[in-house]
């Protein structure tokens, strides 16, 4: 925390083909999406739960559940009573109740995505749910679908662990943009959609009462004139803990784009910072906002940055 240096890595747990991770709100249980065998012995993919020992950093397996396919991304609601997973290849969103001890219960919802496809025939040949984000008031789950150029909205029932389509049903992004990951502003008034295919962010004004987002800006995460050729482009979006800045990673350009948040929720470019490696698939900020750590997939390295 003083220098930003990273220790040597240690194995915390093993699980087949982990994709994304999600904490229970109390940070006593960690969930991992996966692409390998689940507890029932099937190889269609699943989600695993681990108890966390804060003293040692070790994880202990609790249980796992098949999700019906690879759990590309997952998140827990604010109460810690439900888990939502998305399946990029299978085109569906699933939900599960969580026990008091953090174990994953039987699947409670399985909703297939459908709708008009985006214009990119190579990347948008079918629905591709890519991530899930819960609303600040814990009433809704928003699922970015790269194939449909939409962020779908679902009502949630934490007690039952279920989700149901909401009305309005989605937030539309520009054709061919390919929404991937999303984040709310710290005050909950704005919703930011990172679009993978065209390397952009769609900023939306968010109506919490209606559970609806209205696009107000579409801004590139890449420098003017940069020609996008890499099939994997924008990857992750984060909001600084102080709420004043938004960050996005660019694969291909291999950079972190930094934006200042304006009073009206729109973004203004501050700078591009080289990511210190190749293919920055994910990154995150420390809780105090003093450090940013970027994980570069193709160069197999973590790079820490001091944040001004």
């Amino acid at each position: 925390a003083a220098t930003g240096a990273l220790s040597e890595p240690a194995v915390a747990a093993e699980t087949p083909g982990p994709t994304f991770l999600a904490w229970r709100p109390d940070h006593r249980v960690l969930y991992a999406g996966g692409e390998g065998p689940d507890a029932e012995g099937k190889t269609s993919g699943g989600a695993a739960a681990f108890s966390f020992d804060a003293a040692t950093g070790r994880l202990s397996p609790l249980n796992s559940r098949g999700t019906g396919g690879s759990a590309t991304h997952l998140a827990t609601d604010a109460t810690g009573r439900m888990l939502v997973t998305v399946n990029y290849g299978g085109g569906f969103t699933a939900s599960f109740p969580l026990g008091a001890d953090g174990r994953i219960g039987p699947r409670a919802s399985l909703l297939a995505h459908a709708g008009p496809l985006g214009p990119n025939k190579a990347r948008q040949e079918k629905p591709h749910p890519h991530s899930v984000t819960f609303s600040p008031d814990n009433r809704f789950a928003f699922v970015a679908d790269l194939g449909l150029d939409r962020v779908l909205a679902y009502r949630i029932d934490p007690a039952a662990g279920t989700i149901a389509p909401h009305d309005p049903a989605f937030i539309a992004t520009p054709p061919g943009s390919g929404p991937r990951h999303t984040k709310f502003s710290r005050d909950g008034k704005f919703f930011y959609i990172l679009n993978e295919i065209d390397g952009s962010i769609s900023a939306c004004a968010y109506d919490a009462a209606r559970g609806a987002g209205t696009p107000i800006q579409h801004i590139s995460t890449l420098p003017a004139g940069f020609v996008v050729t890499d099939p994997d482009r924008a990857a992750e979006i984060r909001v600084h803990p102080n709420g004043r800045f938004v960050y996005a990673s660019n694969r291909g350009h291999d950079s972190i784009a930094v934006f200042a948040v304006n009073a009206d929720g729109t973004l203004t470019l501050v700078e591009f910072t080289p990511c210190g490696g190749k293919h920055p698939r994910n990154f995150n900020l420390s809780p105090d906002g003093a450090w940013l750590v970027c994980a570069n997939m193709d160069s197999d390295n973590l790079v820490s940055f001091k944040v001004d």
Side-chain angles (χ1 to χ4, degrees):
T3 67
L6 300 170
S7 69
E8 288 298 312
V11 175
E14 294 186 1
T15 187
T19 53
F20 274 82
L21 307 173
W23 285 107
R24 195 170 71 173
D26 62 8
H27 275 221
R28 294 181 179 178
V29 181
L30 182 73
Y31 299 94
E35 299 175 342
D38 57 40
E40 291 78 30
K42 299 177 181 179
T43 58
S44 59
F50 300 87
S51 63
F52 174 62
D53 185 332
T56 65
R58 295 295 178 88
L59 300 170
S60 299
L62 290 173
N63 78 326
S64 61
R65 290 280 181 183
T67 57
S70 171
T72 308
H73 192 268
L74 73 176
T76 62
D77 82 305
T79 70
R81 292 188 292 172
M82 70 178 297
L83 178 75
V84 174
T85 68
V86 300
N87 180 292
Y88 180 89
F92 60 81
T93 298
S95 67
F96 303 80
L98 298 175
D101 63 353
R103 294 176 188 271
I104 306 170
R107 189 174 63 196
S109 303
L110 181 66
L111 300 180
H113 287 211
L117 299 175
N120 188 316
K121 302 301 182 184
R123 298 297 312 281
Q124 298 179 306
E125 79 289 1
K126 63 180 181 178
H128 284 306
H130 218 316
S131 68
V132 55
T133 300
F134 286 92
S135 63
D137 61 7
N138 209 49
R139 295 170 57 212
F140 306 102
F142 291 91
V143 176
D145 193 307
L146 180 145
L148 301 180
D149 288 326
R150 291 176 173 181
V151 178
L152 279 65
Y154 296 107
R155 299 187 307 276
I156 71 169
D157 182 345
T162 58
I163 59 174
H166 180 53
D167 183 14
F170 60 87
I171 303 168
T173 61
S177 55
R180 175 183 171 93
H181 283 194
T182 63
K183 297 292 185 294
F184 279 92
S185 62
R186 293 303 174 200
D187 60 9
K189 295 181 179 179
F190 303 99
F191 186 56
Y192 297 105
I193 304 168
L194 182 76
N195 301 300
E196 175 179 322
I197 295 177
D198 71 352
S200 67
I201 297 173
S202 296
C204 302
Y206 182 66
D207 184 335
R210 296 179 55 239
T214 301
I216 56 176
Q217 181 190 30
H218 187 72
I219 185 171
S220 178
T221 62
L222 296 162
F226 180 80
V227 178
V228 176
T229 57
D230 193 300
D232 292 315
R233 300 161 189 172
E236 183 60 278
I237 184 169
R238 302 284 183 183
V239 178
H240 192 279
N242 67 18
R244 295 172 52 203
F245 301 96
V246 168
Y247 304 79
S249 60
N250 292 305
R251 298 170 292 180
H253 188 249
D254 292 339
S255 65
I256 303 290
V258 185
F259 299 88
V261 178
N262 302 313
D264 63 358
T266 59
L267 304 177
T268 298
L269 179 68
V270 174
E271 66 174 357
F272 297 99
T273 297
C275 67
K278 293 183 180 298
H279 202 91
R281 191 177 183 88
N282 209 336
F283 68 93
N284 210 341
L285 291 129
S286 57
D288 61 4
W291 303 99
L292 184 149
V293 178
C294 182
N296 298 303
M297 189 176 83
D298 289 351
S299 52
D300 297 321
N301 66 329
L302 293 175
V303 182
S304 58
F305 296 85
K306 185 172 180 58
V307 178
D308 181 348

